[in-house]
Every structure is written in C-alpha cells, then in structure tokens.
Amino acid sequence: DSLFVMADLRVAGVEGEHRIKVRNLSSGGMMGEGAVRVSRGDTVEVNIRNIGWVKGSVAWVQDDRFGVALHEE
C-alpha cells in the first residue's frame, strides 16, 4: 500500500540508526527514502511502527530512494 510513515533503519556493518520515510509497504518489500547511503545487496533492518524490526536486502537504489526485499513476509 502507498503510505507515509517514519521508520528507523540499520545497515549491516554500519554503526547507528537512520531515520527514513517508508513510502510503500507490502508483505514482500518496501520503498524507503532518506539521507542514508545504501547499496544494492546491503543487508538492512527496519523498525516499522506496529510491526517491529524486519530484515531485508536492498534491491535497488535511485537518488535518495531505495527498495528493500524483505527476508520474511
């Protein structure tokens, strides 16, 4: 679904958390936006309100937006 919620993002191997906007969310993936450097293939964790921390892999990056394929539905 199209939506707009704020979430925290952790990138594997990088210290700290980044605040991002979640633009789209489905059971298999999401689109995020924010001033965080990620690359295709990076493993990430996202803390989504009312869901909690979910793990995924960055599938694509374009400017300040990126897609994440979630490891579990």
Side-chain angles (χ1 to χ4, degrees):
D1 287 333
S2 289
L3 55 96
F4 174 82
V5 296
M6 298 304 290
D8 295 313
L9 175 84
R10 295 180 189 149
V11 181
V14 177
E15 189 101 6
E17 296 178 359
H18 302 275
R19 196 81 169 144
I20 63 165
K21 298 173 189 169
V22 176
R23 294 282 186 185
N24 294 304
L25 180 64
S26 70
S27 61
M30 58 162 270
M31 180 174 70
E33 179 181 352
V36 57
R37 283 203 176 275
V38 292
S39 299
R40 186 173 181 198
D42 284 352
T43 299
V44 297
E45 291 181 282
V46 184
N47 188 8
I48 302 170
R49 186 179 61 212
N50 297 327
I51 297 174
W53 288 98
V54 293
K55 292 183 181 182
S57 298
V58 176
W60 58 267
V61 178
Q62 185 175 14
D63 300 322
D64 63 348
R65 293 185 178 193
F66 54 93
V68 175
L70 300 177
H71 292 173
E72 294 182 23
E73 287 190 10

Coordinates of all heavy atoms in Angstrom, one line a residue:
D1 N 0.8 -1.2 0.0 CA 0.0 0.0 0.0 C 0.9 1.2 0.0 O 2.0 1.3 0.6 CB -0.9 0.0 1.2 CG -2.0 -1.0 1.2 OD1 -2.4 -1.3 0.1 OD2 -2.5 -1.4 2.2
S2 N 0.4 2.3 -0.6 CA 1.1 3.6 -0.5 C 0.8 4.2 0.8 O -0.3 4.1 1.3 CB 0.5 4.5 -1.6 OG 1.0 4.1 -2.9
L3 N 1.8 4.7 1.4 CA 1.7 5.3 2.8 C 2.9 6.2 3.0 O 3.7 6.3 2.2 CB 1.6 4.2 3.8 CG 2.7 3.2 3.9 CD1 3.7 3.6 4.9 CD2 2.2 1.8 4.2
F4 N 2.9 6.7 4.2 CA 4.0 7.6 4.6 C 4.1 7.4 6.1 O 3.3 7.9 6.8 CB 3.7 9.0 4.2 CG 4.8 10.0 4.7 CD1 5.9 10.2 4.1 CD2 4.5 10.7 5.9 CE1 6.9 11.0 4.6 CE2 5.5 11.6 6.4 CZ 6.7 11.7 5.7
V5 N 5.1 6.7 6.5 CA 5.4 6.5 7.9 C 6.9 6.7 8.1 O 7.7 6.4 7.2 CB 5.0 5.2 8.5 CG1 3.5 5.0 8.5 CG2 5.6 4.0 7.9
M6 N 7.3 7.2 9.3 CA 8.7 7.3 9.6 C 9.2 6.0 10.2 O 8.4 5.3 10.9 CB 9.0 8.4 10.6 CG 8.6 9.8 10.0 SD 9.4 10.2 8.5 CE 11.1 10.5 9.1
A7 N 10.4 5.6 9.9 CA 11.0 4.3 10.5 C 12.5 4.5 10.7 O 13.1 5.4 10.2 CB 10.7 3.2 9.5
D8 N 13.0 3.6 11.5 CA 14.5 3.6 11.8 C 15.1 2.5 11.0 O 14.5 1.4 10.8 CB 14.7 3.4 13.3 CG 14.3 4.5 14.1 OD1 14.5 5.7 13.8 OD2 13.6 4.3 15.2
L9 N 16.3 2.8 10.4 CA 16.9 1.8 9.5 C 18.3 1.6 10.1 O 19.1 2.5 10.4 CB 17.0 2.4 8.1 CG 17.9 1.6 7.1 CD1 17.0 0.5 6.5 CD2 18.4 2.5 6.0
R10 N 18.7 0.3 10.1 CA 20.1 -0.1 10.4 C 20.7 -0.7 9.2 O 20.0 -1.6 8.6 CB 20.1 -1.1 11.6 CG 19.7 -0.6 12.9 CD 19.8 -1.7 13.9 NE 19.1 -1.4 15.1 CZ 18.5 -2.3 15.9 NH1 18.5 -3.6 15.6 NH2 18.0 -1.9 17.1
V11 N 21.9 -0.4 8.9 CA 22.6 -1.0 7.7 C 23.7 -1.9 8.3 O 24.5 -1.5 9.2 CB 23.3 0.0 6.8 CG1 24.0 -0.6 5.7 CG2 22.2 1.0 6.3
A12 N 23.7 -3.2 7.9 CA 24.7 -4.2 8.5 C 26.1 -3.6 8.3 O 26.5 -3.2 7.2 CB 24.5 -5.5 7.8
G13 N 26.9 -3.7 9.3 CA 28.3 -3.2 9.3 C 28.5 -1.7 9.4 O 29.6 -1.3 9.4
V14 N 27.4 -1.0 9.6 CA 27.5 0.4 9.8 C 26.9 0.8 11.1 O 25.8 0.3 11.5 CB 26.7 1.2 8.7 CG1 26.7 2.7 8.9 CG2 27.2 0.8 7.3
E15 N 27.6 1.6 11.9 CA 27.2 2.0 13.3 C 26.0 2.9 13.2 O 25.9 3.8 12.4 CB 28.4 2.6 14.0 CG 28.1 2.9 15.4 CD 28.8 1.9 16.3 OE1 29.6 1.0 15.8 OE2 28.6 2.0 17.5
G16 N 25.0 2.8 14.1 CA 24.0 3.7 14.3 C 22.7 3.4 13.5 O 22.6 2.4 12.7
E17 N 21.7 4.3 13.7 CA 20.4 4.1 13.0 C 20.2 5.4 12.2 O 20.6 6.5 12.6 CB 19.3 3.9 14.0 CG 19.4 2.6 14.8 CD 18.4 2.4 15.8 OE1 17.5 3.3 16.0 OE2 18.4 1.4 16.5
H18 N 19.4 5.3 11.2 CA 19.0 6.4 10.3 C 17.5 6.5 10.3 O 16.8 5.5 10.2 CB 19.5 6.2 8.9 CG 21.0 6.0 8.8 ND1 21.9 7.0 8.8 CD2 21.8 4.9 8.8 CE1 23.1 6.6 8.7 NE2 23.1 5.3 8.8
R19 N 17.0 7.7 10.3 CA 15.5 7.9 10.2 C 15.2 8.0 8.7 O 15.8 8.8 8.0 CB 15.2 9.2 10.9 CG 13.7 9.4 11.2 CD 13.4 8.6 12.5 NE 12.1 8.9 12.9 CZ 11.2 8.1 13.4 NH1 11.6 6.8 13.6 NH2 10.0 8.4 13.8
I20 N 14.2 7.2 8.3 CA 13.8 7.2 6.9 C 12.3 7.3 6.8 O 11.6 7.1 7.8 CB 14.2 5.9 6.1 CG1 13.6 4.7 6.8 CG2 15.8 5.8 6.1 CD1 13.7 3.5 5.9
K21 N 11.8 7.6 5.6 CA 10.4 7.6 5.3 C 10.1 6.3 4.5 O 10.8 5.9 3.6 CB 10.0 8.8 4.4 CG 10.2 10.1 5.0 CD 10.0 11.2 3.9 CE 10.4 12.6 4.4 NZ 10.4 13.6 3.4
V22 N 9.0 5.6 5.0 CA 8.6 4.4 4.2 C 7.4 4.9 3.3 O 6.4 5.4 3.8 CB 8.1 3.3 5.2 CG1 7.5 2.2 4.4 CG2 9.2 2.9 6.1
R23 N 7.6 4.8 2.0 CA 6.7 5.2 1.0 C 5.7 4.2 0.6 O 4.5 4.5 0.4 CB 7.4 5.7 -0.2 CG 8.3 7.0 0.1 CD 7.4 8.2 0.1 NE 8.1 9.4 0.2 CZ 7.6 10.6 0.4 NH1 6.3 10.7 0.4 NH2 8.3 11.6 0.5
N24 N 6.2 2.9 0.4 CA 5.3 1.8 0.0 C 5.7 0.6 0.9 O 6.9 0.4 1.2 CB 5.5 1.5 -1.4 CG 5.0 2.5 -2.4 OD1 3.9 3.0 -2.3 ND2 5.9 3.0 -3.2
L25 N 4.7 -0.2 1.2 CA 5.0 -1.4 2.0 C 4.1 -2.5 1.6 O 2.9 -2.3 1.4 CB 4.7 -1.0 3.5 CG 4.9 -2.1 4.5 CD1 6.4 -2.6 4.6 CD2 4.5 -1.7 5.9
S26 N 4.6 -3.7 1.4 CA 3.9 -4.9 1.1 C 4.4 -6.0 1.9 O 5.4 -5.8 2.6 CB 3.9 -5.2 -0.4 OG 5.2 -5.7 -0.7
S27 N 3.9 -7.2 1.8 CA 4.4 -8.3 2.6 C 5.7 -8.8 2.1 O 6.5 -9.4 2.9 CB 3.4 -9.5 2.5 OG 3.2 -9.9 1.2
G28 N 6.1 -8.4 0.9 CA 7.4 -8.8 0.4 C 8.5 -7.8 0.3 O 9.6 -8.1 0.1
G29 N 8.1 -6.5 0.5 CA 9.1 -5.4 0.3 C 8.6 -4.1 0.7 O 7.4 -3.9 1.1
M30 N 9.5 -3.1 0.5 CA 9.1 -1.7 0.8 C 10.0 -0.7 0.0 O 11.0 -1.1 -0.5 CB 9.3 -1.4 2.3 CG 10.7 -1.7 2.8 SD 11.1 -0.9 4.4 CE 11.7 0.7 3.8
M31 N 9.5 0.5 -0.1 CA 10.4 1.5 -0.6 C 10.6 2.6 0.5 O 9.7 3.0 1.2 CB 9.7 2.3 -1.8 CG 10.6 3.4 -2.4 SD 9.9 4.1 -3.9 CE 8.6 5.0 -3.2
G32 N 11.9 2.9 0.7 CA 12.3 3.9 1.7 C 12.9 5.1 1.0 O 13.3 5.0 -0.1
E33 N 12.9 6.2 1.8 CA 13.5 7.4 1.3 C 14.2 8.1 2.5 O 13.7 8.2 3.6 CB 12.4 8.3 0.8 CG 12.9 9.6 0.3 CD 11.8 10.5 -0.3 OE1 10.6 10.1 -0.4 OE2 12.1 11.7 -0.5
G34 N 15.4 8.5 2.2 CA 16.1 9.2 3.3 C 17.6 9.5 2.9 O 18.1 9.0 1.9
A35 N 18.2 10.3 3.8 CA 19.6 10.6 3.6 C 20.5 9.6 4.2 O 21.2 9.8 5.2 CB 19.9 12.0 4.2
V36 N 20.5 8.4 3.7 CA 21.3 7.3 4.1 C 21.9 6.6 2.9 O 21.3 6.5 1.9 CB 20.5 6.3 4.9 CG1 19.3 5.7 4.1 CG2 21.3 5.1 5.4
R37 N 23.2 6.3 3.0 CA 23.9 5.6 1.9 C 23.7 4.1 2.0 O 24.2 3.5 3.0 CB 25.4 6.0 1.9 CG 25.7 7.3 1.5 CD 27.2 7.3 1.0 NE 27.6 8.6 0.4 CZ 27.5 8.9 -0.9 NH1 26.8 8.1 -1.7 NH2 27.9 10.0 -1.3
V38 N 23.0 3.6 1.0 CA 22.9 2.1 0.9 C 23.2 1.7 -0.5 O 23.2 2.5 -1.4 CB 21.4 1.6 1.3 CG1 21.1 1.8 2.7 CG2 20.4 2.3 0.4
S39 N 23.6 0.5 -0.7 CA 24.0 -0.1 -2.0 C 23.2 -1.3 -2.2 O 22.8 -2.0 -1.3 CB 25.5 -0.4 -2.1 OG 26.2 0.8 -1.9
R40 N 22.9 -1.6 -3.5 CA 22.2 -2.9 -3.8 C 23.0 -4.0 -3.2 O 24.2 -4.1 -3.2 CB 22.2 -3.0 -5.3 CG 21.4 -4.2 -5.8 CD 21.2 -4.2 -7.2 NE 20.4 -5.4 -7.6 CZ 20.3 -5.9 -8.7 NH1 21.0 -5.4 -9.7 NH2 19.6 -6.9 -8.9
G41 N 22.2 -4.9 -2.5 CA 22.8 -6.1 -1.8 C 23.0 -5.9 -0.3 O 23.2 -6.9 0.4
D42 N 23.0 -4.6 0.1 CA 23.2 -4.4 1.6 C 22.1 -5.1 2.4 O 20.9 -5.1 2.0 CB 23.2 -2.9 1.9 CG 24.4 -2.2 1.5 OD1 25.4 -2.8 1.1 OD2 24.4 -0.9 1.6
T43 N 22.5 -5.7 3.5 CA 21.5 -6.2 4.5 C 21.1 -5.1 5.4 O 22.0 -4.4 5.9 CB 22.1 -7.4 5.2 OG1 22.5 -8.4 4.3 CG2 21.1 -7.9 6.2
V44 N 19.8 -4.9 5.6 CA 19.3 -3.8 6.5 C 18.2 -4.4 7.4 O 17.7 -5.5 7.2 CB 18.7 -2.7 5.6 CG1 19.7 -2.0 4.8 CG2 17.5 -3.2 4.8
E45 N 18.0 -3.6 8.4 CA 16.9 -3.9 9.4 C 16.1 -2.6 9.5 O 16.7 -1.5 9.6 CB 17.3 -4.3 10.8 CG 18.0 -5.6 10.8 CD 18.4 -5.9 12.3 OE1 19.5 -5.4 12.7 OE2 17.7 -6.7 12.9
V46 N 14.7 -2.7 9.4 CA 13.9 -1.5 9.5 C 12.9 -1.7 10.6 O 12.3 -2.8 10.8 CB 13.1 -1.3 8.2 CG1 12.3 -0.1 8.2 CG2 14.1 -1.3 7.0
N47 N 12.8 -0.7 11.5 CA 11.8 -0.7 12.6 C 10.6 0.0 12.2 O 10.5 1.2 12.1 CB 12.4 -0.1 13.8 CG 11.6 -0.3 15.1 OD1 10.6 -1.0 15.0 ND2 11.9 0.4 16.1
I48 N 9.5 -0.8 11.8 CA 8.3 -0.2 11.3 C 7.3 -0.2 12.4 O 7.0 -1.2 13.0 CB 7.8 -1.0 10.1 CG1 8.9 -1.0 9.0 CG2 6.5 -0.4 9.5 CD1 8.6 -1.9 7.8
R49 N 6.6 1.0 12.6 CA 5.6 1.1 13.7 C 4.6 0.0 13.6 O 4.1 -0.3 12.5 CB 5.0 2.5 13.5 CG 4.0 2.8 14.7 CD 3.4 4.2 14.5 NE 2.7 4.2 13.3 CZ 2.5 5.3 12.5 NH1 3.1 6.5 12.9 NH2 1.8 5.3 11.5
N50 N 4.2 -0.5 14.7 CA 3.2 -1.6 14.9 C 3.6 -2.9 14.3 O 2.8 -3.9 14.3 CB 1.9 -1.2 14.3 CG 1.3 0.0 15.0 OD1 1.4 0.2 16.2 ND2 0.6 0.9 14.2
I51 N 4.8 -3.0 13.7 CA 5.4 -4.3 13.2 C 6.6 -4.7 13.9 O 6.8 -5.8 14.3 CB 5.6 -4.2 11.7 CG1 4.3 -3.9 10.9 CG2 6.3 -5.4 11.1 CD1 4.5 -3.6 9.5
G52 N 7.5 -3.8 14.1 CA 8.8 -4.0 14.8 C 9.9 -4.1 13.8 O 9.8 -3.7 12.6
W53 N 11.0 -4.7 14.2 CA 12.2 -4.8 13.3 C 12.0 -5.9 12.3 O 11.7 -7.0 12.7 CB 13.5 -5.0 14.1 CG 13.9 -3.8 14.9 CD1 13.6 -3.6 16.2 CD2 14.7 -2.7 14.4 NE1 14.2 -2.4 16.6 CE2 14.8 -1.8 15.5 CE3 15.2 -2.4 13.2 CZ2 15.5 -0.6 15.4 CZ3 15.9 -1.2 13.1 CH2 16.0 -0.3 14.2
V54 N 12.3 -5.6 11.0 CA 12.2 -6.6 10.0 C 13.5 -6.5 9.2 O 14.1 -5.4 9.0 CB 11.0 -6.4 9.0 CG1 9.7 -6.6 9.7 CG2 11.0 -5.0 8.4
K55 N 14.0 -7.7 8.7 CA 15.2 -7.7 8.0 C 15.0 -7.8 6.5 O 14.0 -8.4 6.0 CB 16.1 -8.9 8.4 CG 16.6 -8.8 9.8 CD 17.4 -10.0 10.2 CE 17.9 -9.9 11.6 NZ 18.8 -11.0 12.0
G56 N 15.9 -7.3 5.7 CA 15.8 -7.4 4.3 C 17.1 -7.0 3.6 O 18.1 -6.8 4.2
S57 N 17.0 -7.1 2.2 CA 18.2 -6.7 1.4 C 17.8 -5.6 0.4 O 16.7 -5.6 -0.1 CB 18.6 -7.9 0.6 OG 19.0 -9.0 1.5
V58 N 18.7 -4.7 0.2 CA 18.5 -3.6 -0.7 C 18.4 -4.1 -2.1 O 19.4 -4.8 -2.5 CB 19.5 -2.5 -0.5 CG1 19.3 -1.4 -1.6 CG2 19.5 -1.9 0.9
A59 N 17.3 -3.9 -2.8 CA 17.1 -4.4 -4.2 C 17.5 -3.4 -5.2 O 18.0 -3.8 -6.3 CB 15.7 -4.9 -4.4
W60 N 17.3 -2.1 -4.9 CA 17.7 -1.1 -5.9 C 17.8 0.2 -5.2 O 17.4 0.4 -4.0 CB 16.6 -0.9 -7.0 CG 15.2 -0.7 -6.4 CD1 14.2 -1.6 -6.2 CD2 14.6 0.6 -6.1 NE1 13.1 -0.9 -5.7 CE2 13.3 0.4 -5.7 CE3 15.1 1.9 -6.2 CZ2 12.5 1.5 -5.3 CZ3 14.3 3.0 -5.8 CH2 13.0 2.7 -5.3
V61 N 18.6 1.2 -5.8 CA 18.8 2.5 -5.2 C 18.7 3.5 -6.3 O 19.2 3.3 -7.4 CB 20.2 2.6 -4.6 CG1 20.4 4.0 -4.0 CG2 20.4 1.6 -3.5
Q62 N 17.9 4.6 -6.1 CA 17.8 5.7 -7.1 C 17.7 7.0 -6.3 O 16.8 7.2 -5.6 CB 16.6 5.5 -8.0 CG 16.6 6.6 -9.0 CD 15.4 6.4 -10.0 OE1 14.5 5.6 -9.7 NE2 15.5 7.1 -11.1
D63 N 18.8 7.8 -6.4 CA 18.9 9.0 -5.6 C 18.7 8.8 -4.1 O 19.5 8.0 -3.6 CB 17.9 10.1 -6.1 CG 18.1 10.4 -7.6 OD1 19.2 10.5 -8.0 OD2 17.1 10.5 -8.3
D64 N 17.7 9.4 -3.5 CA 17.6 9.1 -2.0 C 16.5 8.1 -1.7 O 16.0 8.0 -0.6 CB 17.3 10.4 -1.3 CG 16.0 11.1 -1.7 OD1 15.4 10.7 -2.7 OD2 15.5 12.0 -1.0
R65 N 16.1 7.3 -2.7 CA 15.1 6.3 -2.6 C 15.7 4.9 -2.8 O 16.6 4.8 -3.6 CB 13.9 6.5 -3.5 CG 13.1 7.7 -3.1 CD 11.8 7.8 -4.0 NE 11.1 9.0 -3.6 CZ 9.9 9.3 -4.0 NH1 9.2 8.5 -4.8 NH2 9.2 10.3 -3.5
F66 N 15.1 3.9 -2.2 CA 15.7 2.6 -2.3 C 14.6 1.5 -2.0 O 13.6 1.8 -1.3 CB 16.9 2.3 -1.4 CG 16.6 2.6 0.1 CD1 16.2 1.6 0.9 CD2 16.7 3.9 0.6 CE1 15.9 1.9 2.3 CE2 16.5 4.2 1.9 CZ 16.1 3.2 2.8
G67 N 14.7 0.4 -2.6 CA 13.8 -0.7 -2.4 C 14.4 -1.8 -1.6 O 15.6 -2.0 -1.7
V68 N 13.6 -2.4 -0.7 CA 14.1 -3.4 0.2 C 13.2 -4.7 0.0 O 12.0 -4.6 0.1 CB 14.0 -3.0 1.7 CG1 14.4 -4.2 2.6 CG2 14.9 -1.8 1.9
A69 N 13.9 -5.8 -0.4 CA 13.2 -7.1 -0.4 C 13.3 -7.7 1.0 O 14.4 -7.9 1.5 CB 13.9 -8.0 -1.4
L70 N 12.1 -7.9 1.6 CA 12.1 -8.4 3.0 C 12.4 -9.9 3.0 O 12.0 -10.7 2.1 CB 10.7 -8.2 3.6 CG 10.3 -6.7 3.7 CD1 8.9 -6.6 4.2 CD2 11.3 -5.9 4.5
H71 N 13.1 -10.3 4.0 CA 13.5 -11.7 4.1 C 12.4 -12.6 4.5 O 12.4 -13.8 4.2 CB 14.7 -11.9 5.1 CG 16.0 -11.3 4.7 ND1 17.1 -11.2 5.5 CD2 16.3 -10.7 3.5 CE1 18.1 -10.6 4.8 NE2 17.6 -10.3 3.6
E72 N 11.4 -12.1 5.2 CA 10.2 -12.9 5.6 C 9.0 -12.0 5.4 O 9.0 -10.8 5.5 CB 10.3 -13.2 7.1 CG 11.4 -14.2 7.4 CD 11.3 -14.6 8.9 OE1 10.3 -14.5 9.5 OE2 12.4 -15.0 9.4
E73 N 7.9 -12.6 5.0 CA 6.6 -11.9 4.9 C 6.1 -11.4 6.2 O 6.3 -12.0 7.2 CB 5.5 -12.8 4.2 CG 5.8 -13.0 2.8 CD 4.7 -13.7 2.1 OE1 3.6 -13.8 2.6 OE2 4.8 -14.1 0.9

